[in-house]
């Protein structure tokens, strides 16, 4: 069984630990977190060993894989940085796929995808690397999802939606069929997107409209 270290020790990491244990996919040797207050604690029985400066040492000790336990509520850039850093150090991303997720045999998955409980990835859907399909989210047929995208819990991408790199789709949001969403755009929780979105937009509501950028 492969040995894996988790990066992040918050709530999202706990969800991934349960998914990995349920899938029986790997031995989790520990977690790394930037917050020193978490060091020495445990998450669901898994020790928090220190921060990500330990990655080279763990690699040299036989850990071959990492999982990305960093969640996000709008900005996916930290998830991206953590992922790229672990790759640079020579670790491989673990695909975390909960056993209750449904994935079409014709879907294609990039390295290091996370697909959580009761999520669905439909026919001919294509997911890039480090894509997070959160609990009960639905990615319908022929969708194309860019690297590092987070599709939050219960969101629905109807058929043939194309999301650029680093997009965040909020919990329960819906994107209508065939639409394109530009890189790093943020779709608020519960929004219904009815038009294409340019890069770096933040939209909320039904139908979704832009909000002022922070
Ligand atoms: C869209 C979002 C990123 C905006 O965050 P923000 O930039 O901090 O915006 P604010 O909270 O300052 O709100 C700005 C305005 O938009 C409104 N607003 C914020 N989120 C909204 C939403 N999801 N739907 C409708 N209106 C929303 C606020 O009420 C506020 O309106 P006002 O100016 O009339 O008072 C955030 O609210 C959101 O929905 N994030 C997604 C959360 C998520 O998916 N969580 C799941 C993680 S697994």
């Amino acid at each position: 069984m492969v040995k894996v270290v988790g990066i992040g020790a918050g709530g999202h990491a706990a969800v991934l630990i349960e998914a990995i244990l349920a899938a029986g996919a790997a031995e989790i040797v520990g977690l790394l977190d930037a917050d020193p207050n978490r060091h020495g604690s445990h998450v669901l029985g898994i020790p928090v060993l220190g921060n990500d400066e330990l990655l080279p040492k763990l690699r040299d000790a036989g850990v071959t894989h990492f999982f990305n336990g960093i969640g996000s509520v709008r900005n996916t850039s930290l998830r991206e940085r953590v992922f790229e850093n672990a790759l640079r150090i020579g670790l491989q991303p673990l695909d975390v796929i909960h056993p209750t997720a449904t994935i079409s045999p014709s879907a294609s998955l990039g390295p290091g995808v996370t697909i959580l409980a009761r999520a669905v990835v439909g026919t001919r859907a294509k997911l890039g690397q480090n894509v997070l399909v959160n609990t009960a989210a639905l990615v319908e047929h022929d969708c194309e999802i860019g690297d590092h995208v987070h599709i939050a819990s219960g969101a629905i991408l109807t058929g043939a939606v194309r999301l650029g790199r680093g997009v965040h789709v909020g919990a329960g949001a819906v994107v209508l069929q065939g639409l394109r969403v530009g890189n790093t755009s943020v779709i608020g929780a519960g929004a219904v997107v009815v038009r294409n979105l340019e890069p770096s937009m933040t939209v909320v509501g039904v139908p979704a409209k832009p909000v002022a950028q922070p």
Side-chain angles (χ1 to χ4, degrees):
M1 193 178 287
V2 300
K3 290 188 176 182
V4 62
V5 61
I7 304 174
H12 184 61
V15 173
L16 267 63
I17 289 168
E18 287 195 337
I20 291 166
L21 295 178
E27 178 195 345
I28 306 170
V29 300
L31 304 174
L32 304 178
D33 197 283
D35 181 356
N37 293 321
R38 287 180 166 161
H39 301 165
S41 67
H42 289 73
V43 178
L44 299 176
I46 308 291
V48 184
L49 304 171
N51 63 27
D52 62 4
E53 288 172 14
L54 288 177
L55 281 171
K57 196 172 159 194
L58 290 164
R59 177 202 59 203
D60 295 345
V63 174
T64 53
H65 287 70
F66 70 96
F67 68 82
N68 193 346
I70 308 289
S72 63
V73 291
R74 64 171 302 155
N75 188 334
T76 59
S77 64
L78 179 59
R79 296 191 74 255
E80 175 171 351
R81 279 205 305 279
V82 157
F83 185 84
E84 300 291 354
N85 181 50
L87 286 185
R88 257 194 309 278
I89 286 165
L91 293 170
Q92 299 170 55
L94 185 76
D95 294 342
V96 178
I97 300 180
H98 194 280
T100 63
T102 301
I103 300 171
S104 161
S106 59
S108 73
L109 308 180
V113 292
T114 300
I115 305 176
L116 293 176
R118 299 202 176 279
V120 177
V121 177
T123 303
R124 295 183 305 209
K126 288 187 189 151
L127 273 52
Q129 62 181 350
N130 193 31
V131 166
L132 166 56
V133 185
N134 222 317
T135 308
L138 172 53
V139 178
E140 258 298 355
H141 66 90
D142 298 303
C143 285
E144 293 184 22
I145 312 301
D147 295 342
H148 315 295
V149 164
H150 177 186
I151 303 161
S153 303
I156 299 175
L157 306 182
T158 59
V161 165
R162 282 196 255 168
L163 302 185
R165 176 188 187 90
V167 167
H168 175 91
V169 182
V174 177
V175 183
L176 296 192
Q177 62 279 1
L179 295 181
R180 295 179 188 197
V181 177
N183 294 348
T184 68
S185 279
V186 176
I187 298 169
V192 177
V193 177
V194 300
R195 290 194 166 68
N196 291 338
L197 299 183
E198 297 296 320
S200 307
M201 291 182 77
T202 299
V203 297
V204 297
V206 182
K209 298 266 170 59
V211 292
Q213 299 295 299

